[in-house]
Amino acid sequence: AQSVTQLDSQVPVFEEAPVELRCNYSSSVSVYLFWYVQYPNQGLQLLLKYLSGSTLVESINGFEAEFNKSQTSFHLRKPSVHISDTAEYFCAVSEKGGSEKLVFGKGTKLTVNP
Amino acid sequence: DVKVTQSSRYLVKRTGEKVFLECVQDMDHENMFWYRQDPGLGLRLIYFSYDVKMKEKGDIPEGYSVSREKKERFSLILESASTNQTSMYLCASRVRSGANVLTFGAGSRLTVL
């Protein structure tokens, strides 16, 4: 069965600084990978996903994530964060061809300070 | 836009009560999910359903059951609520296939006294 580890539970940064939120997964088969974001007092929404093809995927608001199969990682990065990026970020994995249930990590709370 | 509606945003129940959490989606999605969200534990899968009348246990099914009699509705049942089931419950749905994106409801915050 698949699992997801988000190595940092909280990440405080200053505005305009770069950030990396780390995600590692475990699976015996090929996977689909996702990052979801939850802004304060809101539901979860998709930030970006990796299904196949190019290992670098981007979101519309400047985040990107790179699938690294050898390191079983899918780290999320942004070169310059804004106050409005303050949220909780969840990495998730779904196994291809299996039950395809979606399993989430424990989340990383990103706090962007002025 | 797909809508996933959870009937109750806030519920307060007593220990031992039977609790029903209802979730309805309006876009003919095959797959539906129930998660619980707790601080520091992220989202943990309770049950999911591939399609009508089908269900699979997730990672923490103990103390819960589900019902999917119609495609659009997926109910989570707590047969005898306990205080450790106080949590935020999230329902989600998607078109069949693990490649597809989940659409989440707004959540139901359950407090068991």
Side-chain angles (χ1 to χ4, degrees):
Chain A
Q2 73 270 47
S3 66
V4 177
T5 302
Q6 290 183 245
L7 295 157
D8 305 297
S9 59
Q10 297 191 48
V11 174
V13 295
F14 288 108
E15 197 173 14
E16 299 183 5
V19 70
E20 179 180 79
L21 307 184
R22 296 179 291 168
C23 171
N24 287 89
Y25 69 92
S26 172
S27 175
S28 56
V29 301
S30 298
V31 296
Y32 303 116
L33 292 157
F34 304 82
W35 276 99
Y36 283 79
V37 59
Q38 187 176 36
Y39 297 104
N41 300 314
Q42 293 187 30
L44 274 83
Q45 55 190 280
L46 180 75
L47 187 61
L48 47 74
K49 63 181 179 180
Y50 170 78
L51 303 182
S52 65
S54 172
T55 57
L56 185 66
V57 291
E58 297 177 355
S59 73
I60 56 171
N61 58 354
F63 281 95
E64 63 179 32
E66 185 156 23
F67 170 55
N68 187 319
K69 189 175 180 180
S70 62
Q71 297 188 8
T72 60
S73 68
F74 190 54
H75 301 331
L76 182 69
R77 301 184 184 94
K78 190 169 185 180
S80 176
V81 293
H82 302 290
I83 300 282
S84 59
D85 293 323
T86 293
E88 191 156 19
Y89 294 79
F90 294 93
C91 183
V93 63
S94 176
E95 291 183 331
K96 291 182 184 179
S99 69
E100 297 195 333
K101 65 181 182 179
L102 191 64
V103 174
F104 286 82
K106 293 184 178 181
T108 298
K109 253 189 207 158
L110 173 65
T111 303
V112 182
N113 298 300
Chain B
D1 277 354
V2 178
K3 219 176 193 177
V4 178
T5 302
Q6 295 184 232
S7 55
S8 304
R9 286 299 309 270
Y10 301 94
L11 302 95
V12 180
K13 298 291 181 182
R14 297 227 173 256
T15 301
E17 278 193 76
K18 190 168 186 175
V19 181
F20 292 87
L21 299 180
E22 304 288 344
C23 175
V24 177
Q25 49 95 2
D26 65 0
M27 280 297 288
D28 206 34
H29 283 178
E30 290 85 6
N31 299 167
M32 294 188 75
F33 300 76
W34 275 106
Y35 292 90
R36 65 178 280 178
Q37 183 178 13
D38 300 288
L41 298 178
L43 277 74
R44 292 180 291 166
L45 181 62
I46 306 172
Y47 268 96
F48 64 108
S49 170
Y50 291 114
D51 212 326
V52 181
K53 297 192 187 292
M54 299 175 73
K55 59 186 179 185
E56 293 282 339
K57 291 180 180 179
D59 298 317
I60 53 162
E62 297 79 18
Y64 304 95
S65 62
V66 290
S67 171
R68 185 130 182 241
E69 295 297 317
K70 293 186 177 180
K71 194 172 188 178
E72 67 270 17
R73 186 181 296 270
F74 191 34
S75 303
L76 181 69
I77 303 153
L78 288 66
E79 294 288 342
S80 178
S82 62
T83 54
N84 63 13
Q85 292 178 309
T86 292
S87 186
M88 171 68 85
Y89 290 88
L90 299 174
C91 176
S93 72
R94 72 178 182 201
V95 173
R96 191 195 315 271
S97 164
N100 288 310
V101 176
L102 289 187
T103 300
F104 281 86
S108 297
R109 184 166 293 284
L110 172 67
T111 302
V112 182
L113 301 176

